[in-house]
PDB file of all heavy atoms in Angstrom:
ATOM      1  N   ILE A 534     -37.599 123.046  83.152  1.00 93.00           N
ATOM      2  CA  ILE A 534     -36.967 123.527  81.854  1.00 93.00           C
ATOM      3  C   ILE A 534     -36.360 122.402  81.133  1.00 93.00           C
ATOM      4  O   ILE A 534     -35.662 121.586  81.735  1.00 93.00           O
ATOM      5  CB  ILE A 534     -35.910 124.678  82.176  1.00 93.00           C
ATOM      6  CG1 ILE A 534     -36.654 125.906  82.725  1.00 93.00           C
ATOM      7  CG2 ILE A 534     -35.281 125.085  80.848  1.00 93.00           C
ATOM      8  CD1 ILE A 534     -35.707 127.007  83.207  1.00 93.00           C
ATOM      9  N   THR A 535     -36.530 122.431  79.832  1.00 94.00           N
ATOM     10  CA  THR A 535     -35.934 121.446  78.974  1.00 94.00           C
ATOM     11  C   THR A 535     -35.116 122.179  77.840  1.00 94.00           C
ATOM     12  O   THR A 535     -35.601 123.134  77.267  1.00 94.00           O
ATOM     13  CB  THR A 535     -36.964 120.568  78.306  1.00 94.00           C
ATOM     14  OG1 THR A 535     -37.663 119.857  79.315  1.00 94.00           O
ATOM     15  CG2 THR A 535     -36.385 119.435  77.347  1.00 94.00           C
ATOM     16  N   TYR A 536     -33.825 121.639  77.572  1.00 96.00           N
ATOM     17  CA  TYR A 536     -33.041 122.152  76.499  1.00 96.00           C
ATOM     18  C   TYR A 536     -32.698 121.046  75.470  1.00 96.00           C
ATOM     19  O   TYR A 536     -32.421 119.891  75.920  1.00 96.00           O
ATOM     20  CB  TYR A 536     -31.817 122.796  77.044  1.00 96.00           C
ATOM     21  CG  TYR A 536     -31.904 124.057  77.734  1.00 96.00           C
ATOM     22  CD1 TYR A 536     -31.843 124.128  79.146  1.00 96.00           C
ATOM     23  CD2 TYR A 536     -32.108 125.235  77.070  1.00 96.00           C
ATOM     24  CE1 TYR A 536     -31.928 125.168  79.865  1.00 96.00           C
ATOM     25  CE2 TYR A 536     -32.159 126.455  77.821  1.00 96.00           C
ATOM     26  CZ  TYR A 536     -32.096 126.427  79.198  1.00 96.00           C
ATOM     27  OH  TYR A 536     -32.255 127.587  79.804  1.00 96.00           O
ATOM     28  N   ALA A 537     -32.622 121.319  74.232  1.00 96.00           N
ATOM     29  CA  ALA A 537     -31.975 120.460  73.279  1.00 96.00           C
ATOM     30  C   ALA A 537     -30.528 120.392  73.596  1.00 96.00           C
ATOM     31  O   ALA A 537     -29.896 121.325  74.025  1.00 96.00           O
ATOM     32  CB  ALA A 537     -32.239 121.016  71.848  1.00 96.00           C
ATOM     33  N   ASP A 538     -29.976 119.158  73.324  1.00 96.00           N
ATOM     34  CA  ASP A 538     -28.507 118.920  73.600  1.00 96.00           C
ATOM     35  C   ASP A 538     -27.659 119.919  72.874  1.00 96.00           C
ATOM     36  O   ASP A 538     -26.588 120.398  73.379  1.00 96.00           O
ATOM     37  CB  ASP A 538     -28.124 117.556  73.261  1.00 96.00           C
ATOM     38  CG  ASP A 538     -28.763 116.518  74.266  1.00 96.00           C
ATOM     39  OD1 ASP A 538     -29.198 116.899  75.337  1.00 96.00           O
ATOM     40  OD2 ASP A 538     -28.819 115.327  73.888  1.00 96.00           O
ATOM     41  N   SER A 539     -28.074 120.361  71.687  1.00 96.00           N
ATOM     42  CA  SER A 539     -27.207 121.136  70.862  1.00 96.00           C
ATOM     43  C   SER A 539     -27.011 122.556  71.362  1.00 96.00           C
ATOM     44  O   SER A 539     -26.195 123.400  70.849  1.00 96.00           O
ATOM     45  CB  SER A 539     -27.835 121.189  69.451  1.00 96.00           C
ATOM     46  OG  SER A 539     -29.128 121.730  69.385  1.00 96.00           O
ATOM     47  N   VAL A 540     -27.957 122.976  72.326  1.00 98.00           N
ATOM     48  CA  VAL A 540     -27.862 124.363  72.758  1.00 98.00           C
ATOM     49  C   VAL A 540     -27.562 124.466  74.321  1.00 98.00           C
ATOM     50  O   VAL A 540     -27.410 125.564  74.802  1.00 98.00           O
ATOM     51  CB  VAL A 540     -29.195 125.159  72.476  1.00 98.00           C
ATOM     52  CG1 VAL A 540     -29.527 125.055  71.015  1.00 98.00           C
ATOM     53  CG2 VAL A 540     -30.315 124.632  73.370  1.00 98.00           C
ATOM     54  N   LYS A 541     -27.427 123.297  75.019  1.00 97.00           N
ATOM     55  CA  LYS A 541     -27.125 123.359  76.372  1.00 97.00           C
ATOM     56  C   LYS A 541     -25.813 124.029  76.604  1.00 97.00           C
ATOM     57  O   LYS A 541     -24.872 123.839  75.920  1.00 97.00           O
ATOM     58  CB  LYS A 541     -27.066 121.949  76.892  1.00 97.00           C
ATOM     59  CG  LYS A 541     -28.450 121.277  77.087  1.00 97.00           C
ATOM     60  CD  LYS A 541     -28.281 119.914  77.663  1.00 97.00           C
ATOM     61  CE  LYS A 541     -29.718 119.202  77.858  1.00 97.00           C
ATOM     62  NZ  LYS A 541     -29.547 117.769  78.218  1.00 97.00           N
ATOM     63  N   GLY A 542     -25.897 124.961  77.653  1.00 97.00           N
ATOM     64  CA  GLY A 542     -24.616 125.678  78.026  1.00 97.00           C
ATOM     65  C   GLY A 542     -24.556 127.036  77.133  1.00 97.00           C
ATOM     66  O   GLY A 542     -23.677 127.881  77.483  1.00 97.00           O
ATOM     67  N   ARG A 543     -25.293 127.123  76.128  1.00 98.00           N
ATOM     68  CA  ARG A 543     -25.103 128.379  75.293  1.00 98.00           C
ATOM     69  C   ARG A 543     -26.434 129.168  75.287  1.00 98.00           C
ATOM     70  O   ARG A 543     -26.380 130.378  75.295  1.00 98.00           O
ATOM     71  CB  ARG A 543     -24.804 127.979  73.895  1.00 98.00           C
ATOM     72  CG  ARG A 543     -23.533 127.195  73.721  1.00 98.00           C
ATOM     73  CD  ARG A 543     -23.128 126.934  72.210  1.00 98.00           C
ATOM     74  NE  ARG A 543     -24.171 126.230  71.542  1.00 98.00           N
ATOM     75  CZ  ARG A 543     -24.827 126.699  70.472  1.00 98.00           C
ATOM     76  NH1 ARG A 543     -24.588 127.933  69.932  1.00 98.00           N
ATOM     77  NH2 ARG A 543     -25.756 125.893  69.841  1.00 98.00           N
ATOM     78  N   PHE A 544     -27.545 128.490  75.310  1.00 98.00           N
ATOM     79  CA  PHE A 544     -28.845 129.203  75.288  1.00 98.00           C
ATOM     80  C   PHE A 544     -29.456 129.115  76.720  1.00 98.00           C
ATOM     81  O   PHE A 544     -29.337 128.123  77.375  1.00 98.00           O
ATOM     82  CB  PHE A 544     -29.772 128.603  74.285  1.00 98.00           C
ATOM     83  CG  PHE A 544     -29.427 128.719  72.863  1.00 98.00           C
ATOM     84  CD1 PHE A 544     -28.187 129.237  72.447  1.00 98.00           C
ATOM     85  CD2 PHE A 544     -30.331 128.372  71.972  1.00 98.00           C
ATOM     86  CE1 PHE A 544     -27.834 129.367  71.159  1.00 98.00           C
ATOM     87  CE2 PHE A 544     -30.035 128.462  70.559  1.00 98.00           C
ATOM     88  CZ  PHE A 544     -28.814 128.970  70.127  1.00 98.00           C
ATOM     89  N   THR A 545     -30.253 130.190  77.066  1.00 98.00           N
ATOM     90  CA  THR A 545     -30.945 130.252  78.312  1.00 98.00           C
ATOM     91  C   THR A 545     -32.361 130.747  78.073  1.00 98.00           C
ATOM     92  O   THR A 545     -32.496 131.784  77.473  1.00 98.00           O
ATOM     93  CB  THR A 545     -30.279 131.150  79.301  1.00 98.00           C
ATOM     94  OG1 THR A 545     -28.869 130.742  79.543  1.00 98.00           O
ATOM     95  CG2 THR A 545     -30.993 131.159  80.742  1.00 98.00           C
ATOM     96  N   ILE A 546     -33.308 129.951  78.541  1.00 97.00           N
ATOM     97  CA  ILE A 546     -34.724 130.341  78.437  1.00 97.00           C
ATOM     98  C   ILE A 546     -35.178 130.914  79.745  1.00 97.00           C
ATOM     99  O   ILE A 546     -34.768 130.520  80.845  1.00 97.00           O
ATOM    100  CB  ILE A 546     -35.637 129.143  78.078  1.00 97.00           C
ATOM    101  CG1 ILE A 546     -37.052 129.637  77.752  1.00 97.00           C
ATOM    102  CG2 ILE A 546     -35.666 128.086  79.144  1.00 97.00           C
ATOM    103  CD1 ILE A 546     -37.904 128.472  77.198  1.00 97.00           C
TER     104      ILE A 546
END
Side-chain angles (χ1 to χ4, degrees):
I534 295 174
T535 298
Y536 290 103
D538 288 343
S539 59
V540 306
K541 284 180 180 176
R543 300 188 299 122
F544 291 11
T545 302
I546 190 171

